[in-house]
Amino acid sequence: MIRFEGVCKSFGGARAVNEVTLDVARGSLCALVGTSGSGKSTLLRLANRLLEADEGSIRFDGADVTNIPPVELRRRMGYVIQSVGLFPHWTVERNVATVPRLLGWSPARIGERVAELLDLVGLPPGRHARRYPDELSGGQQQRVGVARALAGEPELLLMDEPFGAVDPPTRRGLQDSLMAIQKRTGTTILLVTHDVEEAIRLSGTLAVLDQGRLLQTGTPAQVLTQPATDAVARFFGGPLLGLNRLKALRVGDRAQAAASPDEREPIDMDATLEAALARMVAEGCSRLPVRRLADGTRGVLDLADLVRP
Ligand SMILES: Nc1ncnc2c1ncn2[C@@H]1O[C@H](COP(=O)(O)OP(=O)(O)O)[C@@H](O)[C@H]1O
Ligand SMILES: [Mg+2]
C-alpha cells in the first residue's frame, strides 16, 4: 500500500530519517516505534507530503507520491495526531463531515456516513452529533478525530501518537475501537507510538526506528523473541523484555495436548501468555486448561511452556 525506499530527510544537516526502506502491506497495521526524536513523525509527514524527502522514493498504491497532488494525497490518507485539532466552533457532526463536504458528497450521503462513523468510534450520533468539541472529554475528542480521518474513506490512515494524551483506561477503549474499525473496514494503518504495550497489542508488524534508521521489522512475536540489536531489546524493556514477550505471544503458540481432563474454565488459544500468567498467579496454579487446540481437542498450558524458547 505504501512503500518507503531508501528515504532520507535532514534538517539543517542532521539526518532525521536515514535510508529507511519499509513496506506497509494493504490491510495491515504497522506500528512505527522508537524513542523520542527517532524520526517517526518525520516519516509520516513525508508520506503525506507535509515534508518532502531529500533522497529515496515513497510509493503509494504503486505511484510516486511526488506525482500525486498534495490535496489528493491527503484526501486518500487520513491523518490523526495527538492534539486532534477539531474545529472548535463546529459541531461533532460538521467536524466529521469536513472531507466529504470538500468532496461534494450529497447531504444524504454525508449524513449517513457521519452517523455510521460516530457509531463505529463509539459515540452514538443521537447523543453526540450536535455537541461541540469543548463539551467532550479528551478521549471523546480523540474518537471524533479518528472518525473525521476516516470520513473520506481513505486508503491509508496515518496516526501519530493518536492516544498519547488520554489516560490508560480510555486509551485501551480507543485501541479496542481501532482494532474493531480495522477489522471492519480493512483500512491500512501506519501508527506511530512510543507505547510498547500499545504497539504490541495493535500491530501486525512492528517497525523499530532509532536515530532515523530502521533497525528491525517483523511481527511483535518475532521482534520480541529475536530483537535484532541491543537498541531494539532496550526499547522493548531491556531487563524486562521477557515480560513484554509474554504480551506478544499467545496461548496457542505454546499450548500442548492435554493428557488428563481438567474441569476448570479453559483459557482461549488467542489469549496472551501474559493473561495466562496472570491467571496462574491469581489462582495459585502452574497449569491451565486450554480451549480447543487446532485439532479440536482440549489442551494444557504449563508454567514451563511460558519460559521455554
Ligand atoms: N521541522 C523540523 N525542523 C528541524 N528539526 C526537526 C524538524 N522536525 C523534526 N526535527 C528533528 O528531527 C528529528 C526527528 O524528529 P521526529 O520525527 O519528530 O521524531 P519522533 O517523532 O520520533 O519523536 C529530531 O531530532 C527533531 O528534533
Ligand atoms: Mg513524534
Side-chain angles (χ1 to χ4, degrees):
M1 175 91 287
I2 188 155
R3 179 172 168 78
F4 301 84
E5 175 107 42
V7 172
C8 300
K9 177 69 185 177
S10 298
F11 295 107
R15 283 255 168 119
V17 167
N18 201 348
E19 289 185 32
V20 167
T21 296
L22 172 68
D23 208 345
V24 181
R26 187 182 299 274
S28 67
L29 192 155
C30 176
L32 198 56
V33 300
T35 50
S36 181
S38 56
K40 307 180 296 294
S41 297
T42 302
L43 201 63
L44 281 203
R45 293 193 195 111
L46 290 168
N48 66 8
R49 290 187 68 192
L50 288 173
L51 295 169
E52 304 287 344
D54 300 331
E55 283 171 52
S57 69
I58 303 171
R59 302 188 81 80
F60 177 49
D61 198 20
D64 195 307
V65 293
T66 56
N67 293 326
I68 305 174
V71 172
E72 182 192 332
L73 202 61
R74 282 166 217 162
R75 178 172 62 68
R76 293 172 60 194
M77 295 182 189
Y79 187 43
V80 185
I81 53 176
Q82 186 172 316
S83 52
V84 235
L86 297 177
F87 303 111
H89 53 288
W90 284 4
T91 59
V92 163
E93 185 172 49
R94 176 116 193 249
N95 265 286
V96 175
T98 309
V99 171
R101 283 166 75 117
L102 287 173
L103 295 175
W105 292 13
S106 72
R109 186 174 169 207
I110 292 177
E112 248 172 59
R113 181 71 179 152
V114 169
E116 179 197 358
L117 282 166
L118 288 178
D119 266 327
L120 197 65
V121 298
L123 294 173
R127 257 188 293 151
H128 297 95
R130 299 293 164 90
R131 295 169 77 181
Y132 286 87
D134 68 1
E135 300 167 345
L136 303 174
S137 70
Q140 288 172 329
Q141 290 183 23
Q142 212 55 31
R143 289 175 187 272
V144 176
V146 173
R148 184 176 62 178
L150 288 167
E153 297 171 349
E155 294 149 71
L156 175 69
L157 194 54
L158 303 171
M159 308 184 89
D160 196 345
E161 310 214 7
F163 311 138
V166 294
D167 56 84
T170 307
R171 190 179 312 168
R172 248 184 128 74
L174 286 163
Q175 291 168 356
D176 289 341
S177 298
L178 186 67
M179 285 193 278
I181 287 167
Q182 212 223 358
K183 210 165 164 187
R184 201 168 122 203
T185 61
T187 310
T188 310
I189 300 176
L190 183 53
L191 169 92
V192 164
T193 179
H194 60 242
D195 178 336
V196 167
E197 281 205 56
E198 177 166 279
I200 294 173
R201 189 153 184 258
L202 294 183
S203 71
T205 309
L206 287 174
V208 191
L209 273 181
D210 186 47
Q211 297 176 42
R213 286 191 180 273
L214 189 62
L215 298 182
Q216 188 172 13
T217 57
T219 63
Q222 285 166 344
V223 174
L224 274 286
T225 23
Q226 287 176 307
T229 69
D230 287 346
V232 176
R234 258 198 314 279
F235 181 78
F236 287 104
L240 299 180
L241 174 77
L243 291 180
N244 283 325
R245 189 179 295 166
L246 296 177
K247 301 180 206 289
L249 294 171
R250 311 257 155 199
V251 168
D253 297 328
R254 295 295 169 87
Q256 306 191 55
S260 55
D262 187 332
E263 295 310 317
R264 291 175 300 153
E265 175 66 15
I267 190 164
D268 284 327
M269 298 272 279
D270 63 355
T272 61
L273 292 186
E274 181 189 47
L277 179 62
R279 227 187 102 178
M280 289 177 186
V281 171
E283 294 177 15
C285 64
S286 58
R287 40 177 39 205
L288 292 173
V290 176
R291 202 187 311 278
R292 290 177 57 79
L293 289 174
D295 62 2
T297 58
R298 286 262 164 135
V300 65
L301 183 75
D302 199 276
L303 186 55
D305 296 325
L306 267 55
V307 298
R308 75 182 150 81

